[in-house]
Amino acid sequence: MIQTLSALAEPNRLAIVELLRDGPRSVGDIVDRLGLSQPLVSKHLKVLSDVAIVDRRVDGKRRIYGLEQSRFAELDRWLDTFASLWDDRLDRLQAHLDRTEATS
């Protein structure tokens, strides 16, 4: 989990992941859309691939990258462990807002 979060903490890698959310893309398309150099995009895709955030398939001379759904399912399960903490805090916030509104 730490590797996933560390990889996503870098702004360019996060931008790549957000772009891939809409579907698989070639390296050239990622370069064009983000305005980054091809070597830089390739470097970031290697990091994302090493931690299994993206997968790659070959289509002729092109490399197509997409999101690895299992990694995001793992991240989602981990985030769910915090749900009760946030639910409790949001319930207390709502109670405070209700009290404040009632006294206004």
Side-chain angles (χ1 to χ4, degrees):
M1 184 61 51
I2 296 297
Q3 291 175 326
T4 300
L5 294 173
S6 293
L8 293 173
E10 202 286 327
N12 289 321
R13 289 194 288 264
L14 183 59
I16 290 169
V17 168
E18 288 177 344
L19 185 61
L20 294 175
R21 183 179 8 190
D22 296 333
R25 297 186 183 276
S26 68
V27 175
D29 189 36
I30 295 168
V31 166
D32 292 343
R33 290 183 180 266
L34 296 181
L36 301 172
S37 70
Q38 187 277 326
L40 184 60
V41 168
S42 292
K43 174 186 158 194
H44 287 309
L45 286 168
K46 169 98 171 82
V47 171
L48 294 170
S49 182
D50 287 349
V51 296
I53 293 174
V54 300
D55 58 7
R56 179 184 81 161
R57 67 179 168 84
V58 178
D59 182 24
K61 291 183 177 183
R62 298 179 342 153
R63 304 295 181 258
I64 309 296
Y65 286 84
L67 296 179
E68 179 58 58
Q69 300 301 320
S70 63
R71 181 60 75 186
F72 288 93
E74 178 185 337
L75 186 57
D76 190 44
R77 286 190 300 276
W78 180 76
L79 289 170
D80 277 347
T81 64
F82 293 93
S84 63
L85 171 73
W86 284 105
D87 287 345
D88 179 53
R89 289 181 180 187
L90 291 173
D91 289 345
R92 285 188 281 148
L93 175 60
Q94 186 62 53
H96 172 74
L97 294 173
D98 290 344
R99 285 190 306 273
T100 302
E101 186 176 289
T103 60
S104 296

